[in-house]
Amino acid sequence: MVDAVSMATQLANWEVYSAETRVQTQLQTLSAKRSALSSINSQLSSFNTLLDDLTGYNKSVVKNSADSSNEELLTAQADAGAQSANYQIFVEQLAQRHQLSTQLPAGTTQDSFVPGSGVISLQLGGDLDRADFDSDEEYESAVAEMSFEIDLALADTEGNGELSYLDLVTAINNDPANIGISASLVQTAGDIQLLFSSDEPGAENQIRISSSSSNAVFDSAFDSSNMNELLKNQDAIAWLGAENTGLKLQNASNEFEDVISGVDFTLHQTHSSGDTPLTLQVGADQKGTNEALSELVTKYNAIMSEIEKYSATGNSEEGESRGVLASDSTTRSIKNSLRAVFQQSFDGVTTTELGFEFDRNGTLSFDSDTFAEFQSTSTVDIEELFRGEDMLLSQLQSKIDVYNDYSTGTIKSQIDSIDAQKTRANDKLDSLDRKYEMYYSRYLKQYSQLSTMQSEMDNITSMFAQY
């Protein structure tokens, strides 16, 4: 008896097998190429990220360090433009935010109500002299920029005359015109204190508050001249040199930026009067520089290793398989263009003089001793050699962008092309599936008919056998 299902399946498979095998092989090859290109592109992106970091604003290749002899008082950092030197610094005073507190009447809670009408005026800044302005309009505009008002009636958003102290604090903090004053309620020993703090430190950030309402007690509590000054608004003061005799450095913040060229430092604590100033030593950070350049080499070699892995020509006699990108022109171009950058000279200086060298296998290395010798004997601006226009790093970035750019890069174009080919290949598989169903249905019908005929013949033969 003919097995119609088995025969239909075998013959339908035979009809599409050759074409389906070709398409499946094509898909495997395309997927392998896509994976390889994505892996190489990932290494290029990693290298490009490092280049962005080395060439970014306020970044450098050549590192400097700023070491404080007492980091509990002062910490610092230096950029590439800092000059090697030792500085004596005396920390006299830290910058502070202005902070005032007022004692609310006994029995007051955060839910107690403030007067239903009146205006609280809050000002941040020092006194303004009318004589410094050309007109009353300019003077009034300047005053308005450093102050804002809370209308108690308007702050009562429900309009029921029940504005609590907690509501008032919220109204102050959330007022769109607030120019940098924060309010809060603090409970101490059963009493409520209302605190006002400037958001920024510095002598110029003085808080002044006044109130005009129908409640004299409330107005007195909201008069800054009656408040307790918890912290005085003050600038940070340090002396470059000895206390009171060196160069006075003053800043609204504890962070001093570029007061010493190329050096930023932050004050944390003060000296006691008569203390010996701390020492701030600024100089070359050879370790940091070597680490940056060594990482550059590591990222470069990672790209080359990835390319080598996928573009190997292979050796059948030694059992080495051929890489999926062995005949790919893009990977060859990446290798050649990036290596060519390191084989150039910049302002007459070769990369070999900077400590870079290729071995016979094309692996790049960096010799810190060679770089240190060049750094100590050359008058060339080393930072310019690396970060200048059309210099080492910018050329590397330009080369990588050709392949790695997220919208126009060559690798992206290749991956897009592969994706399109994979889509067409999958469409072919879908078409072959439909052909298989068609062949299967036809063969199943034919062999089902044959099976029926065979069964009928067997029945007739059986009938003649009885006579």
Side-chain angles (χ1 to χ4, degrees), residues 2-187:
V2 175
D3 186 342
V5 172
S6 177
M7 290 298 296
T9 300
Q10 292 180 48
L11 290 172
N13 278 331
W14 179 83
E15 294 282 1
V16 299
Y17 174 78
S18 179
E20 190 174 61
T21 300
R22 287 196 301 272
V23 176
Q24 290 286 9
T25 301
Q26 181 190 17
L27 276 173
Q28 290 175 1
T29 301
L30 289 172
S31 295
K33 284 185 176 181
R34 192 188 195 286
S35 177
L37 288 169
S38 296
S39 183
I40 292 171
N41 205 35
S42 177
Q43 293 295 342
L44 290 173
S45 295
S46 179
F47 191 40
N48 214 11
T49 298
L50 173 62
L51 294 176
D52 285 341
D53 185 57
L54 292 175
T55 58
Y57 174 74
N58 207 27
K59 301 290 185 177
S60 65
V61 174
V62 179
K63 309 295 183 183
N64 282 323
S65 62
D67 298 319
S68 169
S69 62
N70 191 336
E71 293 194 342
E72 291 185 355
L73 273 65
L74 179 149
T75 55
Q77 58 185 21
D79 64 25
Q83 300 298 313
S84 296
N86 288 332
Y87 302 95
Q88 304 299 308
I89 298 179
F90 182 90
V91 183
E92 177 183 317
Q93 176 176 291
L94 297 181
Q96 291 184 161
R97 294 172 172 80
H98 199 202
Q99 191 171 83
L100 302 174
S101 71
T102 183
Q103 175 74 54
L104 299 182
T108 299
T109 69
Q110 66 178 17
D111 297 319
S112 298
F113 298 136
V114 303
S117 62
V119 174
I120 300 175
S121 299
L122 301 98
Q123 179 178 320
L124 187 65
D127 292 323
L128 297 179
D129 190 340
R130 169 63 183 83
D132 294 333
F133 297 87
D134 294 332
S135 65
D136 290 341
E137 183 178 335
E138 289 184 6
Y139 172 72
E140 291 170 0
S141 175
V143 171
E145 288 178 359
M146 55 189 294
S147 62
F148 68 104
E149 294 182 340
I150 299 296
D151 187 312
L152 298 179
L154 296 178
D156 177 16
T157 55
E158 295 184 7
N160 57 7
E162 296 181 349
L163 180 69
S164 70
Y165 279 96
L166 182 59
D167 294 334
L168 175 59
V169 166
T170 301
I172 293 172
N173 292 334
N174 294 340
D175 193 292
N178 190 323
I179 35 74
I181 299 175
S182 298
S184 60
L185 292 169
V186 178
Q187 187 167 352

Side-chain angles (χ1 to χ4, degrees), residues 124-385:
L124 187 65
D127 292 323
L128 297 179
D129 190 340
R130 169 63 183 83
D132 294 333
F133 297 87
D134 294 332
S135 65
D136 290 341
E137 183 178 335
E138 289 184 6
Y139 172 72
E140 291 170 0
S141 175
V143 171
E145 288 178 359
M146 55 189 294
S147 62
F148 68 104
E149 294 182 340
I150 299 296
D151 187 312
L152 298 179
L154 296 178
D156 177 16
T157 55
E158 295 184 7
N160 57 7
E162 296 181 349
L163 180 69
S164 70
Y165 279 96
L166 182 59
D167 294 334
L168 175 59
V169 166
T170 301
I172 293 172
N173 292 334
N174 294 340
D175 193 292
N178 190 323
I179 35 74
I181 299 175
S182 298
S184 60
L185 292 169
V186 178
Q187 187 167 352
T188 58
D191 294 325
I192 293 288
Q193 296 270 349
L194 181 55
L195 268 60
F196 295 95
S197 302
S198 61
D199 293 343
E200 300 295 333
E204 290 297 319
N205 290 315
Q206 180 180 1
I207 299 173
R208 298 184 182 186
I209 302 173
S210 62
S211 172
S212 58
S213 73
S214 57
N215 188 316
V217 175
F218 180 86
D219 290 346
S220 178
F222 278 78
D223 184 341
S224 54
S225 63
N226 297 329
M227 294 183 184
N228 181 29
E229 187 174 54
L230 302 180
L231 286 176
K232 179 178 176 57
N233 53 300
Q234 62 184 31
D235 289 342
I237 298 175
W239 296 89
L240 196 57
E243 178 186 12
N244 297 324
T245 60
L247 178 63
K248 187 177 183 179
L249 308 176
Q250 188 164 342
N251 192 44
S253 162
N254 290 316
E255 298 176 356
F256 288 73
E257 296 182 357
D258 220 30
V259 173
I260 301 172
S261 181
V263 179
D264 298 338
F265 61 87
T266 302
L267 308 183
H268 303 288
Q269 296 182 24
T270 62
H271 283 97
S272 296
S273 183
D275 283 353
T276 301
L278 61 83
T279 299
L280 180 62
Q281 183 175 359
V282 179
D285 179 8
Q286 203 64 51
K287 180 181 178 183
T289 302
N290 291 342
E291 287 176 350
L293 296 179
S294 294
E295 187 178 8
L296 184 72
V297 168
T298 299
K299 297 287 188 183
Y300 171 89
N301 286 332
I303 294 171
M304 298 305 150
S305 295
E306 205 71 6
I307 291 175
E308 184 64 28
K309 180 170 68 173
Y310 293 113
S311 61
T313 56
N315 188 324
S316 58
E317 294 181 359
E318 297 182 7
E320 297 175 355
S321 59
R322 182 178 175 84
V324 293
L325 300 176
S327 56
D328 183 74
S329 61
T330 298
T331 52
R332 289 197 301 271
S333 178
I334 294 172
K335 287 180 64 174
N336 295 336
S337 62
L338 292 183
R339 177 164 180 157
V341 175
F342 281 98
Q343 292 174 323
Q344 295 183 52
S345 61
F346 302 92
D347 280 353
V349 178
T350 66
T351 55
T352 302
E353 293 176 87
L354 295 174
F356 298 102
E357 189 173 356
F358 288 100
D359 66 13
R360 61 185 296 178
N361 297 317
T363 301
L364 183 63
S365 63
F366 171 70
D367 185 78
S368 58
D369 291 336
T370 301
F371 179 81
E373 182 179 354
F374 180 84
Q375 190 176 18
S376 63
T377 58
S378 176
T379 58
V380 174
D381 185 346
I382 298 177
E383 196 69 17
E384 178 68 17
L385 292 179

Side-chain angles (χ1 to χ4, degrees), residues 358-424:
F358 288 100
D359 66 13
R360 61 185 296 178
N361 297 317
T363 301
L364 183 63
S365 63
F366 171 70
D367 185 78
S368 58
D369 291 336
T370 301
F371 179 81
E373 182 179 354
F374 180 84
Q375 190 176 18
S376 63
T377 58
S378 176
T379 58
V380 174
D381 185 346
I382 298 177
E383 196 69 17
E384 178 68 17
L385 292 179
F386 283 97
R387 287 163 46 91
E389 184 177 356
D390 204 33
M391 292 298 184
L392 178 62
L393 299 183
S394 66
Q395 284 205 30
L396 287 172
Q397 283 184 306
S398 297
K399 301 296 184 186
I400 286 179
D401 284 344
V402 171
Y403 310 101
N404 181 244
D405 188 273
Y406 72 95
S407 59
T408 61
T410 304
I411 291 182
K412 182 184 184 300
S413 297
Q414 281 190 274
I415 290 176
D416 288 345
S417 175
I418 288 173
D419 287 341
Q421 292 178 67
K422 289 179 68 176
T423 298
R424 290 194 294 272

